[in-house]
Amino acid sequence: MTVVSDSLSRPALPQRRRGQATRPGLESERWHGYLFIAPAFIFLCAVIVVPLVKAFWTSLERTRGLNTIFVGFDNYARVLESEAFWNSLRVSLSFTALCVAMHVAIGLGLAMLLNRVVHARAVLRVAFLTPWMVAPAIGSTVWLWLLEPQFGVVNYLFSAVGLIDSYKAWLGEPSLAFGSIVAVDVWRGVPFVMLLLLAGLQTIPVEQYEAAGIDGASPLQQFRYITLPNLKYFIVVASTLDIINTIRMFDIIAVMTGGGPIGATEVLPALLYNTAFRANHFGEAAAIGVLLLILVLAFSVLYVGLTRTHAQEGSR
Amino acid sequence: MKSTRSTLLSGIAGGLALMGAAGATAQTADKPIVLQWQTANLTEKQFEPVWKEMVAAFEAANPGIKIEPVLVARKDHWTKFVTASQARRAPCLVSVDLTTAAYNGYLMALDSYWNAEPEAWRKAWSDEVMKAARWQGKLYGVPIWGGIYAEIYNKDLVTAAGLDPAKPPVSWADYMTWAKALTKDGQWATAILGGKTDTTTRVLLTWIYSNGGEVFNADMTEATFAKNPKSLEAIKAYLGMAKDGFAAPAPTTTNYLEQTVMFAQNKIATMRNANWAIAKAEEDNPALKGKLIVAPAPHQIPNAPTLKTMTSTSIAADCPNPEAAWKFIKFEADAKWSIKRAKVANWMPIRSDLANEPEIKSDPMLLTFLKIGENAKPYPLPLPIWADIAAGDIVDAVQKALLAPDTVETVFKDLDAKINRKLKDQ
């Protein structure tokens, strides 16, 4: 059947003649194609591949200022033996897990709210997106002063409403500092997830909710059996992208705590920075960078896999 | 046709080449030497008028040299310098942690330039000061200005507490008596620095020195924060003020900025700081002008040393114009600019021949600081890993001890062990 319709739709030229006549042209077009993508390819090589290779090569060297010696995988061994690395990995993973869970939970709630709201929808969307629009370094500097123990607004407000009995050093005690950093990242990261989930919510046909309403489904049941299954792909994609974004978070920590107190907020990028620019151990810092890259790549591969599976399901 | 096109293209190319060559010749002939200059304090408001005037004067005196200041926040100063050095594009003139930079090969040895200068000029710097500008016997910078650490009191708060501002504390016991009197609701005697910068370490060292303690053995091969009983005693006394409630809360987030802001807002009555903190406090709160008392840090031994930071100007290892750079260093080190830096920006002169200058002698605050600084130990300490341990390991130890005051001894024993491992590993 397919063969017939295919042959019927073909123009008059026989396949063999066409092939014979155009083969040199096709070859030439293929090379033209390569030529067209060459500038982009060279640019990507220059800004991604070359630095990656250089970073990996640096991770195999011991650096003393301008002098380097090849040490093989010794830097990796030193990093993996150091207490600071394992502390940073633990801080990074707990920071990422907590932040992503809260981004998704709060982002989903806000997305559902914005999806239902009728009045001032545009104003509310812009308002909720504002933290995402502010440069992280600027937002962090503002938070640094809001959380300042003596003059900060947070202590003043919490104290005024009776939430705390004495002013807290939000960034001065390990558990409070970790919690504060998570809170600031949640403030910054929720809009991104909210935006993705809002787009997802708008793809769910209204008829499904109407039919469920006629069948007597409660709002909770509608959420459980309509919203969540329809949003599954969006939630997974948003979470994966958010993990990639959060695990390499540096700006908030660099501005607010520098990784302290006593390493309580020293995520892997902060450890990398401190190793490179405070301890001047570029080889070890590059090794940390490579290990961080492997961690991020694992989630990137997961993301690519998920989007490919979804695309294949959609095309069936 | 092809021949005409080739001729035309060749003509255009030839013309462009000639224009380029002529332009290049003209540019080389007129182009001054441009020296980039990077120090941590160019972005600080109090210093701006002095350095701008100095650069203009230098360029007027040396028409063939142009100074291009590199404005960078103090926090990013070292990062930017290291990145530029690694790319072999470091600014020719820099003021950085001299030992660490020299150890890493980022600086040029200046002995040939220094030795070629007249002896009378060289004698303006004491041997002790010049020793701190050397690494492994070679000179890597010329000391330009410094900061002398002392105790700065708010006269109004002292008087209000019933204390005599003319008789500031001499010993630790006196200081603790004052601390008790100066602490009341919403006001504390002082602030303990425990934030993640090396100012935490600087103030800690002043306490250790004031008790006759040391943080390294004589040949700098072993850390003695806990091993030296005098050092440990000083650490316990200083950090103990947090436990006793004499110091402002949240010391683990307190750096120079927070300390001076609290002082300017009358939240703390005294601060252990250098002369530049006075300019900052008075700028934040002009009502403090003329109401500050400066005295030597309370001490437990006679003639106890304080701490004197030293900022030297160096030449980057890859500087293509070291002669021009040396000219600028000599100009910057001139007595005229040393005095201006001291009078306008509160950067203390390092040259020992300036104490008798009329402009210095007429300023009682400056004279007090210079007098206190007569017996001071240079900072940073001459160790390649000093920058790392001063802003990292020592700060971590202070923070740990502040958060768990009963563990001070263990924490500083661990610090000694950690530093010793790093010393062996460097």
Side-chain angles (χ1 to χ4, degrees):
Chain A
M1 185 67 182
T2 315
V3 174
V4 173
S5 78
D6 196 23
S7 62
L8 282 175
S9 64
R10 286 245 165 94
L13 279 173
Q15 205 172 10
R16 190 176 55 83
R17 260 187 71 194
R18 207 180 107 194
Q20 279 173 344
T22 55
R23 183 166 291 281
L26 276 176
E27 284 293 323
S28 150
E29 276 175 25
R30 190 175 294 152
W31 280 109
H32 283 161
Y34 286 132
L35 272 177
F36 280 124
I37 63 162
F41 181 74
I42 292 167
F43 177 75
L44 285 177
C45 279
V47 299
I48 296 174
V49 180
V50 174
L52 272 180
V53 173
K54 173 69 181 155
F56 179 68
W57 185 252
T58 305
S59 75
L60 305 177
E61 293 177 328
R62 171 88 27 90
T63 310
R64 190 187 124 175
L66 299 174
N67 303 313
T68 52
I69 48 164
F70 184 81
V71 292
F73 287 93
D74 189 44
N75 285 326
Y76 289 89
R78 289 164 77 99
V79 165
L80 293 172
E81 277 169 11
S82 80
E83 199 185 307
F85 174 78
W86 294 106
N87 173 61
S88 281
L89 185 64
R90 187 182 52 77
V91 173
S92 274
L93 293 178
S94 35
F95 174 76
T96 307
L98 260 173
C99 288
V100 171
M102 289 171 85
H103 290 164
V104 173
I106 300 171
L108 179 59
L110 287 176
M112 288 174 66
L113 179 78
L114 282 180
N115 200 36
R116 279 167 184 255
V117 112
V118 182
H119 301 293
R121 182 185 275 196
V123 175
L124 282 173
R125 277 186 194 180
V126 173
F128 285 131
L129 278 175
T130 309
W132 196 47
M133 292 190 256
V134 176
I138 294 170
S140 311
T141 308
V142 172
W143 275 105
L144 185 69
W145 286 104
L146 290 175
L147 294 169
E148 209 282 327
Q150 298 297 325
F151 319 105
V153 174
V154 173
N155 264 339
Y156 173 76
L157 288 178
F158 280 16
S159 177
V161 297
L163 278 175
I164 51 173
D165 49 7
S166 63
Y167 280 12
K168 301 283 179 200
W170 297 104
L171 301 173
E173 289 171 30
S175 52
L176 281 179
F178 184 77
S180 303
I181 296 295
V182 168
V184 174
D185 188 70
V186 167
W187 169 82
R188 182 207 59 88
V190 159
F192 171 72
V193 176
M194 181 196 77
L195 205 63
L196 285 180
L197 297 184
L198 183 61
L201 281 172
Q202 287 173 353
T203 64
I204 305 174
V206 185
E207 292 81 2
Q208 290 188 14
Y209 290 104
E210 287 171 354
I214 291 165
D215 289 346
S218 68
L220 198 67
Q221 285 172 318
Q222 289 182 19
F223 175 74
R224 168 74 182 84
Y225 295 107
I226 300 173
T227 310
L228 273 187
N230 277 299
L231 271 189
K232 192 180 88 181
Y233 170 72
F234 288 92
I235 291 174
V236 172
V237 167
S239 309
T240 316
L241 281 177
D242 199 35
I243 289 171
I244 297 168
N245 271 335
T246 311
I247 208 160
R248 57 189 179 79
M249 168 57 61
F250 174 68
D251 6 30
I252 291 178
I253 284 136
V255 171
M256 295 182 69
T257 62
I262 350 171
T265 60
E266 194 169 45
V267 290
L268 282 171
L271 177 71
L272 189 159
Y273 179 85
N274 289 337
T275 308
F277 292 106
R278 201 184 67 202
N280 299 297
H281 293 159
F282 289 96
E284 284 175 40
I288 296 169
V290 171
L291 294 171
L292 180 63
L293 177 72
I294 292 169
L295 201 62
V296 174
L297 270 180
F299 289 106
S300 304
V301 168
L302 178 70
Y303 169 72
V304 171
L306 284 168
T307 45
R308 190 174 287 168
T309 311
H310 185 76
Q312 282 166 355
E313 280 171 5
S315 65
R316 269 188 213 132
Chain B
M1 183 65 185
K2 194 181 173 187
S3 156
T4 316
R5 197 166 60 183
S6 300
T7 314
L8 192 66
L9 283 173
S10 308
I12 292 170
L16 285 173
L18 276 172
M19 279 164 66
T25 315
Q27 222 177 3
T28 312
D30 299 333
K31 204 176 171 185
I33 292 169
V34 177
L35 297 174
Q36 285 198 322
W37 178 38
Q38 184 186 326
T39 86
N41 56 338
L42 290 180
T43 50
E44 286 168 22
K45 203 176 161 187
Q46 67 214 66
F47 186 37
E48 197 177 308
V50 184
W51 71 255
K52 282 192 170 168
E53 189 188 342
M54 185 179 74
V55 166
F58 176 77
E59 288 177 347
N62 298 275
I65 308 172
K66 191 161 171 51
I67 301 297
E68 190 180 284
V70 179
L71 302 179
V72 54
R74 182 176 286 274
K75 202 177 164 193
D76 304 317
H77 174 56
W78 176 254
T79 310
K80 184 168 168 55
F81 168 70
V82 169
T83 312
S85 295
Q86 287 286 337
R88 316 256 173 180
R89 306 279 296 169
C92 263
L93 293 154
V94 286
S95 298
V96 285
D97 190 330
L98 193 138
T99 312
T100 308
Y103 169 82
N104 282 297
Y106 297 146
L107 301 180
M108 187 182 284
L110 303 178
D111 299 84
S112 57
Y113 297 104
W114 175 261
N115 293 333
E117 295 300 332
E119 197 180 352
W121 184 77
R122 286 186 279 143
K123 283 281 174 199
W125 286 266
S126 71
D127 289 345
E128 184 224 359
V129 159
M130 291 313 293
K131 196 176 154 195
R134 291 182 188 278
W135 165 245
Q136 293 187 331
K138 287 184 181 169
L139 182 73
Y140 285 99
V142 175
I144 301 292
W145 56 270
I148 293 159
Y149 275 69
E151 196 72 24
I152 303 164
Y153 300 85
N154 179 324
K155 199 175 180 177
D156 284 350
L157 296 185
V158 166
T159 312
L163 302 164
D164 182 358
K167 290 179 185 166
V170 175
S171 67
W172 287 359
D174 299 341
Y175 188 74
M176 296 305 168
T177 308
W178 273 46
K180 202 176 272 183
L182 289 166
T183 303
K184 52 186 178 185
D185 274 350
Q187 181 194 303
W188 295 272
T190 192
I192 289 174
L193 271 71
K196 197 104 181 132
T197 64
D198 84 321
T199 48
T200 290
T201 301
R202 295 183 195 190
V203 177
L204 183 76
L205 289 184
T206 64
W207 277 83
I208 291 171
Y209 294 160
S210 74
N211 198 32
E214 292 288 350
V215 293
F216 285 98
N217 62 354
D219 57 1
M220 306 286 285
T221 53
E222 189 187 8
T224 57
F225 283 87
K227 195 179 178 187
N228 183 320
K230 295 274 183 190
S231 303
L232 190 60
E233 188 186 17
I235 293 166
K236 283 181 176 171
Y238 170 50
L239 301 183
M241 286 197 297
K243 197 177 166 186
D244 296 338
F246 299 150
T252 47
T253 57
T254 305
N255 290 308
Y256 166 79
L257 182 66
E258 289 78 8
Q259 179 201 30
T260 47
V261 168
M262 280 193 279
F263 187 83
Q265 298 202 359
N266 296 337
K267 289 266 181 189
I268 55 171
T270 90
M271 60 174 171
R272 181 73 54 89
N273 216 320
N275 35 298
W276 49 68
I278 289 180
K280 169 81 173 66
E282 287 180 348
E283 192 192 326
D284 286 356
N285 181 6
L288 285 177
K289 274 184 186 160
K291 292 182 177 174
L292 302 178
I293 312 160
V294 177
H299 44 274
Q300 295 293 85
I301 56 161
N303 200 26
T306 186
L307 180 138
K308 176 162 69 179
T309 66
M310 264 181 43
T311 302
S312 305
T313 302
S314 307
I315 300 179
D318 291 311
C319 176
N321 300 297
E323 288 81 13
W326 180 254
K327 272 189 185 177
F328 181 77
I329 291 178
K330 273 177 63 187
F331 192 84
E332 189 190 15
D334 189 80
K336 176 186 169 184
W337 302 110
S338 294
I339 293 166
K340 279 220 169 194
R341 269 190 300 270
K343 298 287 287 181
V344 180
N346 274 24
W347 308 144
M348 204 53 70
I350 285 280
R351 291 173 55 147
S352 45
D353 60 341
L354 299 178
N356 289 324
E357 290 284 336
E359 281 183 271
I360 301 278
K361 278 173 93 173
S362 63
D363 187 328
M365 190 77 89
L366 260 177
L367 266 186
T368 309
F369 270 111
L370 283 176
K371 178 96 183 119
I372 293 169
E374 278 172 5
N375 184 24
K377 287 174 180 279
Y379 182 96
L381 273 63
L383 275 178
I385 57 164
W386 179 251
D388 179 29
I389 58 176
D393 304 313
I394 299 172
V395 174
D396 281 352
V398 169
Q399 291 184 337
K400 276 182 196 166
L402 284 167
L403 293 166
D406 298 333
T407 63
V408 177
E409 191 164 346
T410 315
V411 165
F412 280 87
K413 272 184 181 164
D414 290 347
L415 175 68
D416 280 348
K418 195 174 181 183
I419 295 174
N420 292 342
R421 275 198 303 275
K422 285 194 173 186
L423 286 170
K424 280 188 188 137
D425 197 34
Q426 67 175 300

mmCIF file of all heavy atoms in Angstrom, chain B residues 21 70 83 87 177 253 271 287 380 406:
data_model
loop_
_atom_site.group_PDB
_atom_site.id
_atom_site.type_symbol
_atom_site.label_atom_id
_atom_site.label_comp_id
_atom_site.label_asym_id
_atom_site.label_seq_id
_atom_site.Cartn_x
_atom_site.Cartn_y
_atom_site.Cartn_z
ATOM 1 N N ALA B 21 51.884 49.912 7.437
ATOM 2 C CA ALA B 21 53.275 50.095 7.875
ATOM 3 C C ALA B 21 53.508 51.522 8.349
ATOM 4 O O ALA B 21 54.123 51.768 9.391
ATOM 5 C CB ALA B 21 54.214 49.756 6.737
ATOM 6 N N VAL B 70 44.101 49.651 37.522
ATOM 7 C CA VAL B 70 43.182 48.515 37.384
ATOM 8 C C VAL B 70 42.295 48.529 38.622
ATOM 9 O O VAL B 70 42.757 48.231 39.728
ATOM 10 C CB VAL B 70 43.963 47.180 37.289
ATOM 11 C CG1 VAL B 70 43.013 45.996 37.178
ATOM 12 C CG2 VAL B 70 44.917 47.211 36.099
ATOM 13 N N THR B 83 44.943 35.166 37.938
ATOM 14 C CA THR B 83 44.447 34.807 36.613
ATOM 15 C C THR B 83 45.281 35.507 35.533
ATOM 16 O O THR B 83 45.690 34.888 34.555
ATOM 17 C CB THR B 83 42.960 35.213 36.474
ATOM 18 O OG1 THR B 83 42.277 34.757 37.636
ATOM 19 C CG2 THR B 83 42.327 34.614 35.257
ATOM 20 N N ALA B 87 48.044 33.913 32.745
ATOM 21 C CA ALA B 87 47.954 34.203 31.313
ATOM 22 C C ALA B 87 49.142 35.040 30.841
ATOM 23 O O ALA B 87 49.178 35.466 29.682
ATOM 24 C CB ALA B 87 46.648 34.936 31.020
ATOM 25 N N THR B 177 38.040 45.036 82.920
ATOM 26 C CA THR B 177 37.255 45.914 83.801
ATOM 27 C C THR B 177 36.479 46.927 82.956
ATOM 28 O O THR B 177 35.285 47.151 83.173
ATOM 29 C CB THR B 177 38.204 46.662 84.783
ATOM 30 O OG1 THR B 177 39.023 45.691 85.410
ATOM 31 C CG2 THR B 177 37.434 47.444 85.813
ATOM 32 N N THR B 253 30.418 36.119 61.779
ATOM 33 C CA THR B 253 30.125 36.853 60.532
ATOM 34 C C THR B 253 30.734 38.254 60.574
ATOM 35 O O THR B 253 30.455 39.070 59.707
ATOM 36 C CB THR B 253 28.608 36.994 60.300
ATOM 37 O OG1 THR B 253 28.038 37.651 61.432
ATOM 38 C CG2 THR B 253 27.935 35.665 60.092
ATOM 39 N N MET B 271 37.478 49.188 69.311
ATOM 40 C CA MET B 271 37.801 48.213 68.247
ATOM 41 C C MET B 271 39.315 48.097 68.104
ATOM 42 O O MET B 271 40.038 49.085 68.191
ATOM 43 C CB MET B 271 37.147 48.593 66.918
ATOM 44 C CG MET B 271 37.520 49.928 66.329
ATOM 45 S SD MET B 271 36.783 50.114 64.675
ATOM 46 C CE MET B 271 37.139 51.827 64.358
ATOM 47 N N ALA B 287 29.900 62.564 63.529
ATOM 48 C CA ALA B 287 29.849 63.018 64.927
ATOM 49 C C ALA B 287 31.011 62.450 65.749
ATOM 50 O O ALA B 287 31.318 62.947 66.839
ATOM 51 C CB ALA B 287 28.526 62.615 65.559
ATOM 52 N N PRO B 380 51.910 40.577 56.074
ATOM 53 C CA PRO B 380 51.745 39.148 56.316
ATOM 54 C C PRO B 380 53.042 38.443 56.688
ATOM 55 O O PRO B 380 54.133 38.944 56.424
ATOM 56 C CB PRO B 380 51.226 38.624 54.971
ATOM 57 C CG PRO B 380 51.470 39.657 53.959
ATOM 58 C CD PRO B 380 51.725 40.945 54.661
ATOM 59 N N ASP B 406 34.272 25.541 74.738
ATOM 60 C CA ASP B 406 35.014 24.612 75.610
ATOM 61 C C ASP B 406 36.088 23.825 74.866
ATOM 62 O O ASP B 406 36.853 23.077 75.485
ATOM 63 C CB ASP B 406 34.036 23.630 76.280
ATOM 64 C CG ASP B 406 33.046 24.382 77.161
ATOM 65 O OD1 ASP B 406 33.404 25.476 77.647
ATOM 66 O OD2 ASP B 406 31.921 23.889 77.344
#
